[in-house]
């Protein structure tokens, strides 16, 4: 699963990416989130503060305090703290994400995600023997309300000057699903890393549904389209991990279809698109459909060739290109096209041998050498 938050560019309240704000490991960092202005007590989903001094920009940038009669601040009802990730009884100590299919151990009554606690014979919290597991519907309903609480900002909407003057504004809930989406992706990434795949899949499905709903009223919103493409790719990863190849291919194909229609100047978008195409190719390859696999690998190769033309100085793009060349060449060899395969392997080697990396790019250098070693072995086996 991609570790980049697809919502990094869409956060509000100071530009804090919730993934970066709470995940300090390198796998969870969102490179697109530049702001480090996290504020204690700020809800990472709504981006709104909990304090009475909080101000929010509305109506074309005018700042309104919390005493503005038109605004009800979007305070997290459970006191979510983005800096310390305090979810208390709403989180599972095993996967560190919001509870999914909350379950209670018997007899100790400690609560975990169903998938997490099913791996244990003894309670991970107290060590007691687990004699049975039963669902906790009441706690799960509370978790679900917690998620819903981050989906809306309550805002008064003026229907006309006369009504506004008479304070007869109607209360509506403005959708801020991009903020909730960032929160759901954060939880999905935590769950996925802890191998609670069903939880990750559930959160990503909710996120995708939110984006689809919002796209109904803003079909041309490029940010929403790119976010949906990224989330669908993550859903494909979940299905693939669960062994559901048909569903994984469906998600990857939809992701690729959406992303291929967007401008290709964004390197992260290009990377997500090419990876989705390669993953479809991998699944086709494992199923023995070599010609279909080659078609998808070739599409990914074309995407990466175009990216290198525009960003030839970006080392990661060159390594991606060599990887795609190797994939296509490997299929060509299996299809009996040995001379074409050799040409592909040799072109990939040339790309990598020309690439010069400095000492600050140690991880890329390790990847370059690994791919280069694979390519030389392929030529040695011809």
């Amino acid at each position: 699963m991609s570790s980049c938050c697809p919502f990094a560019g869409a956060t509000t309240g100071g530009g804090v990416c919730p993934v970066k704000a709470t995940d300090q490991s390198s796998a969870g960092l969102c490179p697109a989130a530049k702001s480090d202005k996290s504020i204690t007590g700020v809800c990472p989903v709504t981006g709104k503060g909990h304090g009475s001094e909080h101000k929010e920009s509305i109506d074309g940038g005018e700042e309104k305090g919390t005493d503005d009669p038109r605004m009800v601040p979007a305070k997290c009802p459970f006191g979510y703290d983005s800096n310390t990730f305090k979810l208390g009884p709403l989180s599972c100590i095993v996967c560190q994400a919001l509870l999914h299919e909350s379950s209670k151990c018997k007899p100790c009554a400690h609560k975990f995600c169903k998938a997490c606690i099913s791996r244990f014979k003894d309670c991970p919290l107290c060590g007691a023997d687990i004699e049975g597991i039963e669902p906790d519907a009441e706690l799960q309903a509370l978790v679900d309300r917690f998620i819903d609480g981050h989906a809306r900002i309550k805002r008064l909407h003026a229907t006309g000057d006369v009504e506004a003057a008479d304070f007869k504004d109607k209360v509506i809930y403005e959708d801020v699903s991009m903020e909730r989406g960032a929160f759901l992706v954060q939880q999905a990434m935590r769950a996925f890393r802890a191998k609670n795949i069903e939880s990750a899949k559930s959160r990503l499905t909710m996120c995708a549904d939110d984006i689809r709903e919002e796209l109904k009223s803003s079909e041309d919103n490029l940010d929403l389209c790119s976010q949906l493409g990224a989330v669908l790719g993550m859903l494909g990863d979940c299905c693939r991990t669960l062994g559901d190849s048909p569903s994984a291919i469906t998600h990857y194909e939809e992701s690729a279809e959406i992303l291929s229609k967007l401008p290709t100047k964004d390197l992260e978008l290009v990377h997500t698109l090419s990876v989705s195409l390669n993953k479809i190719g991998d699944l086709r390859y494992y199923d023995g459909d070599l010609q279909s696999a080659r078609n998808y690998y070739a599409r990914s190769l074309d995407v990466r060739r175009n990216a290198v033309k525009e960003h030839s100085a970006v080392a990661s793009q060159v390594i991606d290109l060599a990887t795609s060349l190797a994939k296509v060449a490997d299929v060509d060899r299996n299809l009996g096209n040995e001379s074409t395969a050799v040409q592909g392997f040799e072109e990939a080697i040339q790309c990598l041998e020309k690439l010069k990396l400095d000492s600050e790019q140690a991880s890329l250098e390790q990847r370059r050498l690994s791919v280069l070693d694979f390519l030389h072995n392929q030529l040695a086996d011809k």
Side-chain angles (χ1 to χ4, degrees):
M1 178 182 287
S2 170
S3 61
C4 293
C5 175
F7 297 84
T11 52
T12 59
V16 179
C17 171
V19 176
K20 184 173 183 178
T22 60
D23 275 340
Q24 298 303 321
S25 66
S26 60
L29 294 182
C30 179
K34 303 297 184 183
S35 172
D36 58 357
K37 299 178 181 178
S38 299
I39 303 173
T40 302
V42 173
C43 173
V45 179
T46 62
K48 309 301 183 291
H50 298 172
S52 61
E53 74 284 356
H54 171 70
K55 294 183 178 181
E56 180 183 19
S57 177
I58 61 172
D59 297 338
E62 180 183 357
E63 288 191 341
K64 304 290 182 182
T66 53
D67 57 348
D68 188 329
R70 296 178 301 166
M71 177 65 62
V72 179
K75 179 179 179 180
C76 172
F78 297 96
Y80 186 96
D81 183 341
S82 64
N83 292 319
T84 57
F85 190 68
K86 290 181 179 178
L87 289 178
L90 303 185
S91 64
C92 171
I93 67 166
V94 177
C95 67
Q96 299 297 307
L98 280 172
L99 286 161
H100 175 66
E101 295 185 337
S102 301
S103 299
K104 179 167 57 178
C105 295
K106 295 168 61 178
C108 67
H110 289 131
K111 299 169 185 179
F112 310 87
C113 297
K114 180 180 178 180
C116 292
I117 194 56
S118 296
R119 306 175 203 156
F120 293 86
K121 295 182 178 180
D122 302 326
C123 175
L125 195 58
C126 68
D129 291 341
I130 299 176
E131 298 177 4
I133 299 172
E134 62 182 22
D136 191 328
E138 183 177 353
L139 177 57
Q140 189 58 50
L142 184 62
V143 173
D144 294 340
R145 290 201 300 274
F146 174 83
I147 295 174
D148 289 341
H150 288 78
R152 301 281 189 266
I153 292 178
K154 186 188 291 186
R155 179 169 293 172
L156 295 173
H157 176 67
T159 57
D161 294 338
V162 176
E163 286 190 350
D166 293 338
F167 297 101
K168 294 180 180 178
D169 301 358
K170 294 182 179 180
V171 175
I172 64 170
Y173 285 86
E174 178 177 316
D175 188 41
V176 286
S177 57
M178 285 191 292
E179 284 83 353
R180 184 167 86 142
F183 179 67
L184 291 170
V185 168
Q186 175 203 66
Q187 297 303 306
M189 290 168 66
R190 285 176 176 270
F192 191 91
R193 287 196 295 270
K195 303 187 185 308
N196 189 351
I197 311 302
E198 288 291 353
S199 175
K201 181 182 175 183
S202 172
R203 305 310 180 204
L204 292 170
T205 300
M206 293 173 64
C207 182
D209 290 343
D210 283 353
I211 301 174
R212 291 186 201 278
E213 186 65 28
E214 192 160 346
L215 277 171
K216 290 180 180 179
S217 59
S218 53
E219 296 180 0
D220 298 329
N221 189 312
L222 298 182
D223 285 338
L224 286 175
C225 290
S226 64
Q227 289 162 12
L228 180 57
V231 170
L232 288 169
M234 294 179 184
L235 269 171
D237 290 343
C238 290
C239 293
R240 184 180 183 179
T241 304
L242 291 170
D244 186 0
S245 295
S247 295
I249 290 175
T250 298
H251 289 308
Y252 289 140
E253 285 181 336
E254 187 178 2
S255 171
E257 181 181 0
I258 292 171
L259 296 176
S260 63
K261 296 177 181 178
L262 301 179
T264 56
K265 296 188 180 298
D266 185 335
L267 289 181
E268 187 60 43
L269 186 154
V270 169
H271 178 74
T272 304
L273 171 58
S274 61
V275 166
S276 288
L277 291 169
N278 272 338
K279 287 177 178 177
I280 300 172
D282 290 342
L283 291 171
R284 298 294 190 194
Y285 186 99
Y286 300 144
D287 286 341
D289 190 348
L290 297 182
Q291 191 58 60
S292 178
R294 190 191 189 285
N295 290 339
Y296 281 105
Y297 287 152
R299 286 177 60 188
S300 177
L301 175 58
D302 290 341
V303 171
R304 288 176 169 175
R305 281 193 191 280
N306 292 331
V308 169
K309 286 179 182 178
E310 296 187 20
H311 307 278
S312 58
V314 180
S316 61
Q317 298 300 311
V318 177
I319 298 175
D320 282 348
L321 173 60
T323 301
S324 280
L325 285 166
K327 283 180 173 289
V328 173
D330 179 61
V331 178
D332 282 334
R333 170 170 284 174
N334 282 279
L335 288 171
N337 303 323
E338 183 63 25
S339 60
T340 305
V342 170
Q343 289 176 6
F345 289 133
E346 290 178 343
E347 182 183 353
I349 290 174
Q350 291 175 6
C351 289
L352 294 178
E353 289 183 341
K354 291 178 181 178
L355 184 61
K356 304 301 180 184
L357 301 174
D358 55 41
S359 58
E360 296 179 355
Q361 297 174 298
S363 60
L364 281 178
E365 175 63 9
Q366 184 177 5
R367 184 181 165 209
R368 184 187 77 90
L369 293 175
S370 176
V371 177
L372 197 56
D373 183 59
F374 169 81
L375 292 166
H376 282 302
N377 287 336
Q378 293 303 306
L379 287 181
D381 292 339
K382 68 178 181 178

